Amino acid sequence: MSAMASLGPRWVAIVTGEDRPGTLTALASVFSSRGVSFQSLATGAVDGEVDSIAVTFTTTPRRQALLIRTVARLAVVSAVRVRRADDPAVLAAAIVHLPPSPAFTLPPVAVQVTGDPATGPLLVEGSLADVSVVVRAAKAAGAPLAATVVLSM
């Protein structure tokens, strides 16, 4: 078992709030003071009106609940949604740049793919769990670059 697996499940939190200096610092402080690091972090306006921060992290269910309660109390935060990363409701997209050869074979998962797996790049859309399977397979096949973003939950 990996060290991460022993820490608990992987989670995705979408934090919405004010776009002002210190928001990201306050969020990072809550996590770091409780010994939890981000596996990924993405910022930006998802719908053009409210800024959001998507965070993935691994911890126990109990610590996750504490983190989310604490984040929700921050003055700059208006809402927090959290789900396990393997929840099918967590949707993601990835851009995968493939090596010139050999041709990449997509794993048998339920994703929508735009582009040609033989030539790439690919836009892969679906649940975070399924998109992650494709990204891991592409990297194992020699893909030099892949980026994944949580879209919604």
Side-chain angles (χ1 to χ4, degrees):
M1 175 163 41
S2 74
M4 281 189 154
S6 66
L7 297 175
R10 186 171 174 221
W11 304 92
V12 177
I14 304 290
V15 180
T16 55
E18 298 177 28
D19 179 13
R20 69 179 204 202
T23 299
L24 188 55
T25 302
L27 179 64
S29 177
V30 169
F31 278 75
S32 67
S33 67
R34 285 151 185 86
V36 177
S37 55
F38 302 140
Q39 290 173 324
S40 69
L41 177 110
T43 63
V46 173
D47 59 8
E49 294 179 13
V50 177
D51 282 332
S52 65
I53 301 169
V55 179
T56 61
F57 57 99
T58 300
T59 194
T60 64
R62 184 173 181 221
R63 185 169 289 172
Q64 175 271 121
L66 172 67
L67 284 165
I68 297 308
R69 270 194 317 270
T70 306
V71 167
R73 290 182 189 137
L74 293 173
V76 294
V77 171
S78 58
V80 181
R81 292 174 290 145
V82 65
R83 292 186 188 262
R84 283 180 60 131
D86 58 2
D87 184 323
V90 179
L91 302 179
I95 300 291
V96 181
H97 288 269
L98 298 170
S101 64
F104 175 66
T105 303
L106 285 166
V109 291
V111 293
Q112 180 178 353
V113 177
T114 305
D116 183 352
T119 60
L122 302 178
L123 170 61
V124 182
E125 300 171 272
S127 72
L128 177 59
D130 287 346
V131 168
S132 295
V133 167
V134 173
V135 168
R136 282 192 300 274
K139 287 181 177 179
L145 181 62
T148 305
V149 176
V150 173
L151 299 174
S152 67
M153 26 186 244

